[in-house]
Amino acid sequence: MSDRTRGRGDAQAVRERVREFALGLPGAYEDFPWGESVVKVNRKIFVFLFLGHLVAGQGDSPPTVTVKLTDPEAHAHAMSAPGTLLTGYGLGRSGWVTIPLGEPGAPDAELLCDWVEESYRTVAPRRLVAELDARAAG
């Protein structure tokens, strides 16, 4: 197995761990609005989980996780990860960042799950955030 293939396999495992974490949050559900996985709460997306795709003339792109990070420290930390970009379509102006997986130095699943939880907290109704907090306290 090549390093590139191994990295994609690791990236897929990280992506799946993040997906499972996101779906375990109160009221979360998966949707496929563009043929790619997103996780929503109350009809609002809080994480995009793209599998990667062929980019014309550039080969395969890695799977990515896209989250909304409004905390300045978390946002800066995410932006320091290799290959991380402000999300396109104007979403970056609202704190959305796209993080490629499987690259050397990419965030591990635990850190990504922390960021997914922060993203969830920015869009979830207060009652569901309270339910999440009650789970953590209990």
Side-chain angles (χ1 to χ4, degrees), residues 1-92:
M1 177 184 304
S2 74
D3 285 342
R4 183 176 184 102
T5 305
R6 187 177 305 108
R8 282 191 61 81
D10 293 346
Q12 295 293 2
V14 168
R15 179 192 174 277
E16 185 56 28
R17 185 158 169 223
V18 169
R19 178 183 164 274
E20 288 174 9
F21 174 82
L23 289 171
L25 295 169
Y29 63 96
E30 190 169 29
D31 196 6
F32 301 90
W34 306 281
E36 295 273 7
S37 174
V38 301
V39 183
K40 296 179 175 182
V41 62
N42 202 35
R43 296 187 314 268
K44 295 180 181 179
I45 296 171
F46 67 94
V47 62
F48 295 83
L49 296 160
F50 291 169
L51 286 169
H53 56 281
L54 291 175
V55 178
Q58 298 176 22
D60 247 347
S61 67
T64 60
V65 170
T66 299
V67 290
K68 185 175 185 175
L69 300 175
T70 56
D71 174 73
E73 226 174 273
H75 192 273
H77 188 195
M79 288 302 296
S80 72
T84 298
L85 301 168
L86 292 175
T87 306
Y89 303 103
L91 293 172

Side-chain angles (χ1 to χ4, degrees), residues 85-121:
L85 301 168
L86 292 175
T87 306
Y89 303 103
L91 293 172
R93 289 190 300 266
S94 299
W96 289 90
V97 294
T98 298
I99 306 141
L101 307 177
E103 301 293 323
D108 63 18
E110 185 176 344
L111 180 55
L112 290 166
C113 289
D114 287 347
W115 291 341
V116 166
E117 183 176 327
E118 181 182 330
S119 187
Y120 172 87
R121 288 174 178 277

